[in-house]
Amino acid sequence: MRTHKCGELNKDNLGESIALCGWVHRRRDHGGVIFIDLRDRAGLVQVVFNPESTETFAIAESVRSEYVLRVEGVVRERLEGTVNANMATGEIEILVSHVEVLNESETPPFPIESDIEVNEEMRLRYRYIDLRKTSMLEKMKIRRDVTRNLRNFLDAQEFFEMETPILTKATPEGARDYIVPSRTHKHSFFALPQSPQLYKQLLMMAGMDRYYQVVRCFRDEDLRADRQPEFTQLDIETSFMNEDKIMAIMEDMMCNLFKDVLNVDLDKPFPRMTHAEAMSRFGSDKPDLRIPLELVDIADEMKDVEFKVFSGPANDPKGRVVALCIPDGAKLSRKDIDAYTKFVSIYGARGLAYIKVNDRNGGLEGLQSPIVKFAPAEVWEAVLEKTGAQTGDLIFFGADKTNIVNEAIGALRVKIGLDLGLLEGVWKPLWVVDFPMFEWDEKSQRWNAIHHPFTAPSCSEEELKADPGAALSRAYDLVLNGTEVGGGSIRINKTAMQSTVLDILGIGKKEANDKFGFLLEALKYGCPPHGGMAYGLDRLVMLMTGSSSIREVIAFPKTQSAACPLVDAPAVINEEQLKELHIRLHKPIVSEEA
């Protein structure tokens, strides 16, 4: 039907007779001559209809936006003064000799190219139209390029691309499973995989040595901008490699990716930071290193002050008191400070104390704040010295339980850095290492795994049993600009250690055998040392395209309520299907009056 794509043509094609197919992007009638910008996946080209060609001109007069056309014509150079430097094909145009309307179109529910903001649910309901936008098409192209590059790199490194089951068994991986009832096994259920974790470990036990997969994963959890109930993961596993070797290969892969797709050179090796240092300096295990602000501990300075808001957490082993110095922050208005106070309340902070440094050498008189009177001058001098504050700066304070301070002031650090344009550099990758193995859940009075139950500890089995809270894991996360794009670890490869970890997590022998019996059995048969990583492909593409949400880089995403407006899913199924699946619904009782 066509000889070329619209966006492929240039001056090298002058004089050629060509055929194109595409959508009417824009139609203009200039004094009897009709111009149409024809669009396909490759881009736009201007096609021209002269009134001398009566039949084709009449058709051109009838077409409207988003009609699908096939045109034949000759490539010619645009007249002087009409070249469009904003179009790749802007130096040429097509003089049409024949046109065919392949399909008409109703007026789209929203403009294809416009600055008008369209409700996201409307965009998702008509996603096939939304995807016609140039910006969306570019994001899909980058996603394709990213996936192709990663596959090519791993193929060259002798990784096997292998598929693992989608219908599997429910396992505790931190989120709720999507459950699929079995028709052939009465009262039994499959689960959709949260990740291929156990299968890829079994592949290492099978001697596959190096595996990867671009795989769909499913988690029934509350959604945020970077979460979806179904998402794409680049899953990787290797045998006979320690964490240093795995991280080195992953760095090569990321550098190759950014150079090939974005023409960006990432510096190697990526810096490494322990989990403890990241939490201390930035209040986050995924710090954005582009932002130069850091949290400074001032508990020692506040232990003896009369101000209980500070002295209480300063003397509490589970508390923390920090200062965050904002260069030139004294220019922030009371309205700005109130907005930041409201922001930290989202994370459980009960307020946001501050000091404006109007004159660094002016003692108490040089400080402006309601809290200055609650501590002697020498305390504030020590705080100014420790934070490096200068005239014109502002210091925010956080004082509460450690987790609240970290979350609230850590998030505040990022928000202020973005609001005030304090970013240094464009891309800042970072490895975060030495995570704790477990965290204590006060509510359930039990240990939870920081990563997953199959992560190897960096200590012996005896040391792990003696003090689970002190144990560090052999895990590593790759953070890019404050977003975790990948995480991995060396896995447990011995039955005794795996049983010990499950026992610490409160998973008894019967439950362990019911859920992981196949894994514990497999570990007995010569399991090699192994480890790997998983990358959130959607998140990675989101960052590389500068998008604000992973929904922008997924062709058919779900809404924040995990629904699909396009096909109206999830949907009710009929009684016959329910009976086949041995399912009876308990519908809510509705009163006669209602």
Side-chain angles (χ1 to χ4, degrees):
M1 293 187 74
R2 62 184 179 186
T3 60
H4 297 77
K5 296 188 182 74
C6 295
E8 293 176 342
L9 299 169
N10 54 47
K11 292 180 76 172
D12 293 340
N13 303 104
L14 289 175
E16 291 183 19
S17 295
I18 56 92
L20 302 173
C21 296
W23 286 263
V24 174
H25 186 70
R26 191 177 292 110
R27 176 185 173 279
R28 305 179 301 281
D29 191 334
H30 289 175
V33 178
I34 294 175
F35 297 90
I36 287 177
D37 289 338
L38 198 65
R39 184 190 73 242
D40 64 12
R41 195 183 74 178
L44 297 169
V45 69
Q46 179 172 281
V47 298
V48 184
F49 297 83
N50 279 331
E52 288 83 1
S53 300
T54 310
E55 186 176 341
T56 60
F57 192 81
I59 294 174
E61 284 185 309
S62 68
V63 303
R64 294 294 179 264
S65 175
E66 298 309 303
Y67 275 37
V68 186
L69 305 183
R70 179 181 181 273
V71 300
E72 296 176 5
V74 176
V75 181
R76 72 180 187 184
E77 194 168 2
R78 289 203 192 191
L79 296 174
E80 187 178 346
T82 64
V83 170
N84 186 347
N86 296 321
M87 287 175 64
T89 60
E91 294 182 304
I92 57 97
E93 61 188 14
I94 314 302
L95 180 60
V96 177
S97 57
H98 175 76
V99 61
E100 179 184 357
V101 177
L102 299 177
N103 211 339
E104 298 178 354
S105 173
E106 295 184 6
T107 302
F110 48 82
I112 303 299
E113 301 290 352
S114 173
D115 293 333
I116 299 172
E117 192 166 331
V118 181
N119 175 275
E120 186 181 52
E121 184 147 344
M122 175 71 76
R123 291 177 59 200
L124 296 184
R125 184 176 299 278
Y126 296 95
R127 189 62 160 183
Y128 46 88
I129 293 175
D130 189 57
L131 287 170
R132 295 180 189 176
K133 294 178 180 176
T134 303
S135 61
M136 292 300 296
L137 182 58
E138 285 303 313
K139 290 171 183 177
M140 294 302 118
K141 284 181 181 177
I142 289 179
R143 186 183 179 107
R144 174 206 63 187
D145 293 345
V146 167
T147 306
R148 180 168 56 192
N149 176 279
L150 294 171
R151 276 196 164 105
N152 290 343
F153 178 89
L154 292 168
D155 287 343
Q157 293 288 325
E158 299 183 343
F159 282 77
F160 280 11
E161 182 172 11
M162 305 185 74
E163 295 178 345
T164 54
I166 292 296
L167 292 176
T168 183
K169 187 177 184 179
T171 56
E173 291 207 33
R176 288 181 294 272
D177 290 302
Y178 276 100
I179 301 300
V180 181
S182 170
R183 179 184 60 82
T184 54
H185 296 79
K186 190 175 180 180
H187 302 153
S188 294
F189 298 83
F190 294 105
L192 302 182
Q194 295 187 33
S195 83
Q197 180 62 44
L198 297 181
Y199 285 110
K200 68 179 181 179
Q201 289 190 239
L202 293 171
L203 286 172
M204 295 303 101
M205 299 174 198
M208 294 299 106
D209 196 77
R210 296 187 181 192
Y211 139 96
Y212 82 91
Q213 182 180 189
V214 178
V215 60
R216 296 293 276 179
C217 300
F218 307 86
R219 294 183 183 177
D220 185 8
E221 59 184 348
D222 296 331
L223 307 181
R224 299 195 296 270
D226 61 346
R227 297 284 176 92
Q228 279 280 288
E230 54 180 319
F231 56 95
T232 305
Q233 190 167 285
L234 173 65
D235 207 50
I236 297 170
E237 199 76 6
T238 68
S239 294
F240 307 114
M241 285 191 196
N242 62 20
E243 43 268 69
D244 289 335
K245 180 62 176 175
I246 293 172
M247 285 191 276
I249 291 179
M250 295 299 97
E251 287 182 13
D252 288 342
M253 184 179 75
M254 294 298 289
C255 289
N256 180 72
L257 173 67
F258 272 71
K259 182 63 177 176
D260 181 51
V261 177
L262 298 183
N263 196 27
V264 167
D265 292 307
L266 298 179
D267 293 331
K268 287 193 306 181
F270 297 169
R272 297 186 187 185
M273 184 180 297
T274 67
H275 176 268
E277 182 183 352
M279 297 304 294
S280 174
R281 293 173 58 189
F282 306 108
S284 171
D285 59 5
K286 43 184 179 293
D288 189 340
L289 296 188
R290 298 173 302 165
I291 299 170
L293 309 178
E294 294 193 21
L295 280 60
V296 177
D297 280 294
I298 57 168
D300 289 344
E301 286 74 17
M302 295 297 169
K303 283 182 177 179
D304 298 323
V305 301
E306 294 181 6
F307 192 35
K308 298 300 183 184
V309 172
F310 282 5
S311 61
N315 288 285
D316 183 349
K318 296 181 180 179
R320 190 178 187 194
V321 185
V322 300
L324 180 69
C325 183
I326 315 299
D328 202 27
K331 65 184 180 183
L332 292 174
S333 67
R334 182 68 218 186
K335 183 179 179 182
D336 294 328
I337 293 172
D338 288 344
Y340 287 130
T341 303
K342 185 176 181 181
F343 173 78
V344 296
S345 69
I346 298 171
Y347 300 90
R350 290 171 287 183
L352 184 62
Y354 71 92
I355 287 178
K356 288 187 176 184
V357 185
N358 295 329
D359 181 1
R360 174 64 179 84
N361 300 314
L364 290 180
E365 297 300 319
L367 304 180
Q368 177 187 344
S369 170
I371 67 169
V372 169
K373 60 187 176 184
F374 295 119
E378 57 268 23
V379 167
W380 297 122
E381 177 58 33
V383 170
L384 295 174
E385 184 69 26
K386 205 167 187 178
T387 59
Q390 301 297 320
T391 298
D393 293 350
L394 178 143
I395 303 172
F396 281 123
F397 297 91
D400 211 311
K401 296 294 184 184
T402 298
N403 64 320
I404 293 176
V405 170
N406 287 341
E407 288 187 18
I409 308 303
L412 179 66
R413 169 187 171 269
V414 174
K415 180 167 178 58
I416 290 176
L418 296 175
D419 288 350
L420 302 186
L422 302 178
L423 301 187
E424 296 178 351
V426 180
W427 299 104
K428 291 290 184 74
L430 167 73
W431 289 109
V432 178
V433 298
D434 292 343
F435 285 82
M437 272 291 288
F438 309 108
E439 61 181 351
W440 182 253
D441 187 331
E442 289 286 354
K443 189 174 182 180
S444 61
Q445 290 292 295
R446 59 178 289 176
W447 292 107
N448 290 327
I450 293 284
H451 279 77
H452 54 61
F454 320 109
T455 300
S458 57
C459 62
S460 69
E461 188 181 339
E462 291 70 27
E463 290 171 316
L464 187 66
K465 288 179 180 178
D467 191 355
L472 298 180
S473 68
R474 297 177 67 183
Y476 36 85
D477 282 359
L478 182 58
V479 176
L480 183 62
N481 293 359
T483 296
E484 178 201 331
V485 294
S489 68
I490 301 300
R491 322 303 188 187
I492 297 169
N493 74 314
K494 294 185 178 180
T495 306
M497 179 63 85
Q498 185 63 78
S499 296
T500 296
V501 169
L502 294 177
D503 186 56
I504 290 171
L505 293 172
I507 300 174
K509 287 185 178 180
K510 184 180 184 308
E511 184 183 0
N513 190 62
D514 289 344
K515 292 182 176 178
F516 308 115
F518 62 94
L519 176 70
L520 297 172
E521 178 76 10
L523 288 171
K524 298 175 183 177
Y525 295 98
C527 175
H530 61 285
M533 277 199 76
Y535 289 87
L537 195 65
D538 310 303
R539 284 192 200 177
L540 185 57
V541 178
M542 176 186 76
L543 290 175
M544 294 179 74
T545 58
S547 302
S548 59
S549 163
I550 62 171
R551 293 189 295 278
E552 290 296 303
V553 298
I554 299 173
F556 299 104
K558 303 291 189 291
T559 65
Q560 285 194 325
S561 63
C564 178
L566 176 63
V567 300
D568 198 22
V572 174
I573 63 174
N574 61 43
E575 290 292 336
E576 186 177 337
Q577 286 175 298
L578 289 171
K579 185 179 283 188
E580 280 186 338
L581 296 170
H582 318 292
I583 292 175
R584 179 185 299 158
L585 298 182
H586 290 279
K587 298 180 180 179
I589 298 172
V590 181
S591 68
E592 191 174 308
E593 183 180 339

